Amino acid sequence: MAAIQSVEPDAKRTVRHHVALRRRQLRRLFATSAALLISLLFAVPFIWLVASAFRPVTETFQAHVDVWTFLPRRWTLENFTSAFSRGFAANLFNSLWVTGVSALVGTALATLAAFPLAVMRFPGRDWLFVAVVFAFMIPFEVVALPLTTVFTQMGLANTLTALIVPGLVHGLAIFNLRQFFLSIPREQLEAALLDGASWWRILLQIYLPLVRPAVIGTAMILAMAQWNAWLWPSLIITDNSKQTGAVAMGLSDSAYTQDYGLAFAEVFILALIPALLIFFGQRSFTRSLSHTGGK
């Protein structure tokens, strides 16, 4: 009798365990289904963009809409051909060049500025950092027009140099890298100084390998800022052959004519490049943003 009573609690525990496991599985299934549905809803505009870039413009805004409207009935590259025939290739190259140079040089300058602000100790360091933080909080729109006058007087209007120079020193990039440098234990710095290492050696051989995700993330932040820039290129560049892709795409439309197929193709190209950049560097980009508010 005692043996039977001892078996019953075990059986009840087994049943409760299976019921709890089943509930967890149902909750996980519900959460996964909801996440997939929400992701699909967010993906609908992108699917429409891709399909419209590869379909004839006459099919884009057809009278009837069905499930298969998202898929082109006739795949074509004529929208891309029209985009490149009007000179969009030159505008795309301008964007790639300005973005690449700004990201590489800007990251190098931000590293050289953030390292002493985080590691070295000198009078006025904290006040200098406050000035850096204050600088990147000032909206660019405040200084855009005076900066346009200065660059025009220097003869840099309608040049790619004018597009690159204002983005080389970025306060957010300096702040981001400084936070990462501060997260490295100071014991490593003190040990290197005792060994007689120079500041350049400490930066290149100790700190940079440890903050590589932050460097990559900072470069991506600068690249995205330049790639999506609109105000400054539209002010300093009046020659369409020197214009960036984002601004050139907007200037191609007028109040009376609109080539939607051409617009879809250009938007697809301009969205694809940064999407690939984020896809391949998402881990470093995410780690960089998550540690920005660190020590």
Side-chain angles (χ1 to χ4, degrees), residues 103-117 168-178 181 218-219 222:
L104 293 176
V105 180
T107 303
L109 293 177
T111 302
L112 296 177
F115 179 74
L117 289 175
L168 292 182
V169 181
H170 201 286
L172 179 60
I174 299 174
F175 175 82
N176 185 37
L177 288 174
R178 178 183 178 272
F181 284 137
T218 300
L222 294 177

Side-chain angles (χ1 to χ4, degrees), residues 15-268:
V15 172
R16 286 197 298 268
H17 174 72
H18 284 295
V19 171
L21 180 61
R22 184 63 176 173
R23 288 178 178 174
R24 285 197 298 268
Q25 291 176 345
L26 290 176
R27 286 196 296 266
R28 187 180 298 111
L29 178 62
F30 176 77
T32 303
S33 302
L36 289 175
L37 179 60
I38 295 174
S39 300
L40 181 60
L41 292 176
F42 277 99
V44 166
F46 181 74
I47 297 174
W48 175 267
L49 169 65
V50 175
S52 299
F54 289 96
R55 82 167 98 237
V57 67
T58 54
E59 296 183 10
T60 301
F61 301 102
Q62 53 191 356
H64 65 282
V65 178
D66 51 35
V67 177
W68 299 104
T69 301
F70 287 98
L71 298 178
R73 291 183 171 85
R74 181 173 66 87
W75 293 81
T76 179
L77 295 175
E78 62 184 18
N79 295 325
F80 296 92
T81 304
S82 300
F84 287 113
S85 64
R86 77 167 185 86
F88 186 70
N91 303 130
L92 184 61
F93 173 79
N94 294 338
S95 293
L96 290 172
W97 176 258
V98 171
T99 300
V101 174
S102 299
L104 293 176
V105 180
T107 303
L109 293 177
T111 302
L112 296 177
F115 179 74
L117 289 175
V119 177
M120 299 180 182
R121 293 176 177 174
F122 54 89
R125 185 190 67 171
D126 294 337
W127 287 105
L128 183 59
F129 177 67
V130 170
V132 171
V133 174
F134 180 76
F136 82 81
M137 288 185 176
I138 299 176
F140 182 75
E141 291 78 4
V142 175
V143 298
L145 290 177
L147 200 61
T148 303
T149 303
V150 172
F151 274 75
T152 302
Q153 293 175 349
M154 296 175 61
L156 294 176
N158 285 318
T159 63
L160 297 183
T161 303
L163 296 176
I164 295 173
V165 171
L168 292 182
V169 181
H170 201 286
L172 179 60
I174 299 174
F175 175 82
N176 185 37
L177 288 174
R178 178 183 178 272
Q179 300 307 106
F180 268 84
F181 284 137
L182 287 175
S183 66
I184 299 176
R186 193 167 181 84
E187 289 77 8
Q188 298 190 27
L189 170 64
E190 295 173 352
L193 292 175
L194 289 176
D195 291 338
S198 63
W199 286 112
W200 282 107
R201 184 179 178 184
I202 294 173
L203 171 62
L204 298 177
Q205 296 185 5
I206 298 178
Y207 276 78
L208 280 185
L210 295 175
V211 299
R212 184 173 60 180
V215 174
I216 298 175
T218 300
M220 293 178 63
I221 293 174
L222 294 177
M224 294 299 297
Q226 283 287 41
W227 186 265
N228 297 320
W230 173 271
L231 177 61
W232 178 243
S234 62
L235 289 176
I236 201 63
I237 302 295
T238 57
D239 185 358
N240 189 63
S241 63
K242 301 292 182 62
Q243 194 56 269
T244 58
V247 179
M249 180 190 66
L251 296 178
S252 64
D253 302 329
S254 66
Y256 306 100
T257 60
Q258 175 83 40
D259 190 337
Y260 291 103
L262 177 67
F264 279 124
E266 293 177 349
V267 171
F268 173 74

